[in-house]
Amino acid sequence: MVPANGISTLELDRTGTSPGALIDPFARTITYLRVSVTDRCDFRCVYCMSEHMTFLPKADLLSLEELDRLCSAFVDKGVTKLRLTGGEPLVRRGIMTLVSSLSRHLSSGALKELTLTTNGSQLEKYAAELKNHGIERINVSLDTLDPDKFRAVTRWGDLGKVMAGIDAALAAGLKVKINAVALKGVNEDELAGLLEWANDRSMDLTVIEVMPLGDVGETRLDQYLPLSMVRARLAERFTLDDIDYQTGGPARYVRVKETGGRLGFITPMTHNFCESCNRVRITCTGTLYMCLGQNDAADLRTPLRASDSDGLIHAAIDEAITRKPKGHDFVIDRRHQWPALSRHMSVTGG
Ligand code: SAM
Ligand code: SF4
């Protein structure tokens, strides 16, 4: 199939990237897979889920073995970075079996990094095991250091448990990055304190703009805080110097002179970063989303289950990548206060 720009994936293969690599119609090489291992979670964050969520029927979920096979098919196709996410990845039963089996791709050198994004609630239990399986860095989502506010934002969360989880992760030797969603009227006055707290403990902080994914029961205009405003406010107190540091994701980083640490900005709303997108996402039911901000998807569960060899999965992945769109076009303003997509973030993972 020849995509809209007239360049076939075959031709792009001939331009230098290894044969079989995943190259999309806009010449972006796909090397990063995010895997939502469950859409369930022990929290109900106000920007991510509604209070009464309906989750996917358990019967629709891929088994851990099937998830491993699917991830491994992407590794065969040149994916070098794999992030487990969700929902909350550490509440999926048997998750350490998957982490352990995927770690063979670290040992073989095919995978440069295996990592995960977690709300931290189960970290105390799993941190050492994660490190033993070759995980070096994790992201922990934490929007506030105030226990009451934390409970209000997560609806069900216990800040003490998350703090114990972060302590355990640091003690195990994991590098921890803190992710905070900037929320109007909720944590906007706290971000300076969160930055100092994180950097003092050798953790980077990344702030994220809220995206209009899924109906969460309140309008996004009430939550949305542009990071241009956050940066301007932080710059009144800290010296922020742009740096080239990259972690393979969409964040742009600054060095904070006063703390010596790093601060990242993920700005899907105010600054679209799609031109350098190297990512695709699979859900726990084996649906491949080529873009977080679009509805187009490919079913990988059917080819996965249709044959014991991986030929059909490889072909389905190749075909899907020819449909990766140029980018997303989220808007939150007075006319666009409701979800851009009905899909919640917990389905495709952050
Ligand atoms: N449960 C894990 C956690 O919270 O870290 C992993 C999944 S969660 C969906 C991944 C990330 O997406 C979290 O950092 C969360 O704050 C972020 N997130 C969820 N909904 C969002 C939204 N509507 N806009 C921006 N970020 C969102
Ligand atoms: Fe759960 Fe993470 Fe969504 Fe919060 S952001 S509800 S912790 S999946």
Side-chain angles (χ1 to χ4, degrees):
M1 175 180 168
V2 178
N5 67 357
I7 308 171
S8 78
T9 24
L10 267 178
E11 282 168 38
L12 285 164
D13 273 4
R14 282 190 216 110
T15 64
T17 314
S18 65
L22 298 172
I23 300 170
D24 81 356
F26 304 94
R28 298 170 296 194
T29 306
I30 309 308
T31 54
Y32 186 177
L33 177 68
R34 295 195 182 188
V35 188
S36 176
V37 297
T38 174
D39 64 330
R40 288 162 199 256
C41 187
D42 52 345
F43 291 3
R44 292 287 181 280
C45 300
V46 292
Y47 46 78
C48 179
M49 294 191 179
S50 66
E51 193 155 10
H52 305 286
M53 287 287 288
T54 310
F55 294 107
L56 294 162
K58 283 205 170 139
D60 287 0
L61 259 60
L62 296 186
S63 67
L64 294 171
E65 292 76 17
E66 287 174 322
L67 276 172
D68 179 286
R69 212 179 129 205
L70 208 45
C71 292
S72 301
F74 278 91
V75 174
D76 292 343
K77 294 238 140 237
V79 160
T80 56
K81 178 168 176 174
L82 213 151
R83 177 178 298 279
L84 304 180
T85 175
E88 174 47 42
L90 296 182
V91 302
R92 170 97 196 230
R93 192 182 300 231
I95 185 65
M96 284 301 145
T97 317
L98 179 64
V99 174
S100 165
S101 66
L102 289 174
S103 70
R104 72 187 183 281
H105 297 302
L106 289 172
S107 311
S108 76
L111 212 51
K112 287 191 193 134
E113 185 168 34
L114 175 61
T115 182
L116 98 164
T117 301
T118 173
N119 65 21
S121 69
Q122 311 297 314
L123 252 187
E124 194 176 12
K125 186 158 78 188
Y126 289 128
E129 223 178 317
L130 289 169
K131 176 73 180 165
N132 288 341
H133 289 313
I135 292 195
E136 296 291 339
R137 300 188 306 150
I138 59 169
N139 290 354
V140 179
S141 304
L142 177 63
D143 306 315
T144 171
L145 295 173
D146 176 317
D148 295 331
K149 230 186 251 184
F150 185 80
R151 169 68 66 157
V153 170
T154 61
R155 290 197 184 101
W156 295 5
D158 173 351
L159 181 63
K161 272 194 180 170
V162 175
M163 289 300 182
I166 293 171
D167 288 345
L170 293 172
L174 290 166
K175 289 201 183 70
V176 178
K177 178 164 79 74
I178 301 295
N179 281 347
V181 177
L183 295 165
K184 185 156 85 181
V186 177
N187 62 1
E188 54 186 307
D189 295 336
E190 248 197 278
L191 293 172
L194 201 55
L195 175 64
E196 280 175 327
W197 170 82
N199 283 179
D200 280 355
R201 310 189 79 203
S202 304
M203 302 185 289
D204 293 344
L205 172 72
T206 297
V207 276
I208 309 173
E209 280 173 342
V210 79
M211 285 177 267
L213 294 177
D215 184 357
V216 290
E218 54 182 293
T219 90
R220 293 294 183 176
L221 206 54
D222 291 343
Q223 301 180 329
Y224 174 53
L225 182 63
L227 290 192
S228 45
M229 282 171 63
V230 171
R231 180 170 177 154
R233 260 188 246 161
L234 289 174
E236 289 170 11
R237 181 147 155 206
F238 301 101
T239 315
L240 308 178
D241 295 319
D242 289 315
I243 51 174
D244 276 341
Y245 178 72
Q246 285 282 340
T247 59
R252 285 172 302 137
Y253 283 89
V254 296
R255 170 78 57 196
V256 185
K257 196 169 168 200
E258 289 74 8
T259 65
R262 280 183 293 246
L263 167 65
F265 297 93
I266 300 185
T267 53
M269 309 303 300
T270 52
H271 178 267
N272 180 312
F273 39 66
C274 303
E275 69 276 3
S276 60
C277 183
N278 59 353
R279 293 173 289 287
V280 290
R281 294 170 161 86
I282 52 174
T283 70
C284 55
T285 56
T287 302
L288 170 64
Y289 283 94
M290 288 74 85
C291 174
L292 180 64
Q294 303 284 354
N295 273 324
D296 191 24
D299 166 31
L300 299 184
R301 188 174 54 183
T302 306
L304 179 80
R305 291 183 173 171
S307 158
D308 285 340
S309 79
D310 289 339
L312 292 178
I313 309 176
H314 286 166
I317 295 172
D318 284 341
E319 193 282 325
I321 297 301
T322 68
R323 291 192 272 127
K324 184 166 162 69
K326 193 166 181 197
H328 68 249
D329 37 22
F330 293 133
V331 183
I332 296 177
D333 63 19
R334 284 188 197 292
R335 285 190 301 123
H336 305 86
Q337 302 189 29
W338 298 104
L341 299 174
S342 59
R343 196 172 72 238
H344 288 88
M345 189 76 154
S346 47
V347 173
T348 26

